[in-house]
């Protein structure tokens, strides 16, 4: 079973619609992240959460909101979708690794969102 | 903030060829450096990492050395396989465990 799951895997919607992307993890990690991937731009951080009561904006948070419902669940919402939010969205989790104190991040399989 | 620049792709090689994907970074201090790989249709996974200057990360035949003098972390493999075809991301880290990604380099290996 996958440790980090995302639903849906693919979604096509129309401009102005509200969309929620969900992420669940069974790794027991405290930290969760949402990224978007655009061709030629790599991944950019949208929001991140270090625990259930902690939510932080990333590099490109405008037009997005998040909810950390539990340690294992982190949802991303687009309140009113627009075409330039068409992208591949990834959820990731992390925790303190056992060596070196580095926080390796573990990624879900991604959600491909198309806004028409 | 920190940033990463990696060579543009796609890079197309024949099987068993030598691979180099260049990566340079700008950063405050000496952050950890990573290479992540994204196979077709999948999420990203950590390929290798280096946490301090002169460290060499290695995995699955890939290697990269953290060079603070040249602020580089080039990815190399001596003999690529078709199964290595993927997108490779050079990544650094900012305060708060935030990853900063390069644009990604597409690698295509032909048999």
């Amino acid at each position: 079973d996958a440790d980090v799951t995302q639903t849906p895997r693919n979604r096509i919607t129309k401009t102005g619609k509200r969309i929620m992307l969900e992420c669940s993890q069974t790794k027991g990690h405290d930290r969760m992240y949402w990224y978007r991937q655009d061709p030629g731009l790599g991944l950019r951080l949208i929001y991140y959460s270090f625990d259930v009561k902690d939510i932080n904006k990333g590099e490109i948070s405008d037009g997005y909101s998040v909810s950390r419902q539990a340690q294992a669940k982190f949802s991303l919402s687009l309140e009113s979708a627009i075409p330039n939010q068409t992208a591949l969205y990834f959820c990731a989790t992390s925790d303190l690794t056992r060596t070196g104190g580095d926080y390796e991040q573990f990624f879900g399989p991604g959600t491909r969102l198309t806004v028409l | 903030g920190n940033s990463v620049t990696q060579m543009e792709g796609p890079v197309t090689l024949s099987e068993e060829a030598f691979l180099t994907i260049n990566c340079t970074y700008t950063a405050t201090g000496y952050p950890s450096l990573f290479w992540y790989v994204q196979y077709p249709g999948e999420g990203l996974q950590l390929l290798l990492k280096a946490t301090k200057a002169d460290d060499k990360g290695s995995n699955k035949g890939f290697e990269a050395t953290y060079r603070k003098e040249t602020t580089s972390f080039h990815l190399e493999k001596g003999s690529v396989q078709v199964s290595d075809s993927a997108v490779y991301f050079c990544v650094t880290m900012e305060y708060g465990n935030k990853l900063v990604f390069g644009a990604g380099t597409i690698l295509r290996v032909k048999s």
Side-chain angles (χ1 to χ4, degrees):
Chain A
D1 288 341
D3 295 319
V4 184
T5 58
Q6 293 183 233
T7 56
R9 294 294 311 277
N10 289 282
R11 182 71 184 268
I12 300 173
T13 190
K14 295 182 178 179
T15 297
K17 294 292 187 180
R18 183 179 188 275
I19 295 296
M20 179 180 285
L21 309 183
E22 299 188 348
C23 176
S24 295
Q25 53 112 347
T26 58
K27 300 186 78 67
H29 289 170
D30 288 328
R31 303 183 172 204
M32 299 186 73
Y33 309 79
W34 275 105
Y35 295 90
R36 67 177 277 175
Q37 182 180 18
D38 298 278
L41 293 178
L43 276 71
R44 293 179 291 168
L45 183 63
I46 306 172
Y47 270 95
Y48 60 104
S49 169
F50 284 176
D51 63 41
V52 174
K53 298 179 181 179
D54 177 79
I55 302 290
N56 304 280
K57 292 183 178 180
E59 178 186 355
I60 53 164
S61 59
D62 287 349
Y64 301 94
S65 61
V66 292
S67 173
R68 186 79 184 268
Q69 302 95 322
Q71 186 204 38
K73 296 184 181 296
F74 193 37
S75 300
L76 176 72
S77 293
L78 289 67
E79 296 301 326
S80 179
I82 57 177
N84 75 1
Q85 291 178 312
T86 294
L88 190 54
Y89 289 84
F90 287 102
C91 174
T93 74
S94 74
D95 204 349
L96 186 66
T97 61
R98 293 182 180 180
T99 59
D102 294 307
Y103 294 79
E104 177 182 349
Q105 293 191 14
F106 297 84
F107 286 79
T111 294
R112 186 169 296 280
L113 176 66
T114 302
V115 183
L116 302 177
Chain B
N2 296 353
S3 66
V4 174
T5 302
Q6 61 183 103
M7 66 187 287
E8 291 187 22
V11 173
T12 303
L13 297 173
S14 297
E15 213 166 17
E16 300 184 2
F18 184 86
L19 169 71
T20 299
I21 300 178
N22 291 335
C23 171
T24 57
Y25 66 91
T26 59
T28 302
Y30 302 105
S32 295
L33 298 171
F34 309 84
W35 278 98
Y36 276 79
V37 59
Q38 183 181 26
Y39 297 104
E42 299 183 12
L44 283 76
Q45 55 186 273
L46 180 65
L47 179 60
L48 53 83
K49 68 179 181 182
T51 60
K52 61 183 185 295
D54 299 325
D55 265 4
K56 176 185 283 187
S58 61
N59 186 26
K60 299 181 180 180
F62 291 89
E63 294 184 339
T65 301
Y66 191 142
R67 304 274 189 206
K68 69 175 182 180
E69 304 84 5
T70 54
T71 61
S72 65
F73 193 55
H74 304 321
L75 182 68
E76 297 181 335
K77 186 174 185 182
S79 176
V80 294
Q81 305 300 312
V82 172
S83 57
D84 293 326
S85 298
V87 184
Y88 292 83
F89 294 92
C90 186
V91 183
T92 185
M93 183 176 285
E94 286 192 330
Y95 174 76
N97 189 213
K98 293 180 286 184
L99 297 183
V100 178
F101 287 78
T105 301
I106 297 172
L107 171 65
R108 297 178 180 144
V109 180
K110 302 182 299 183
S111 59

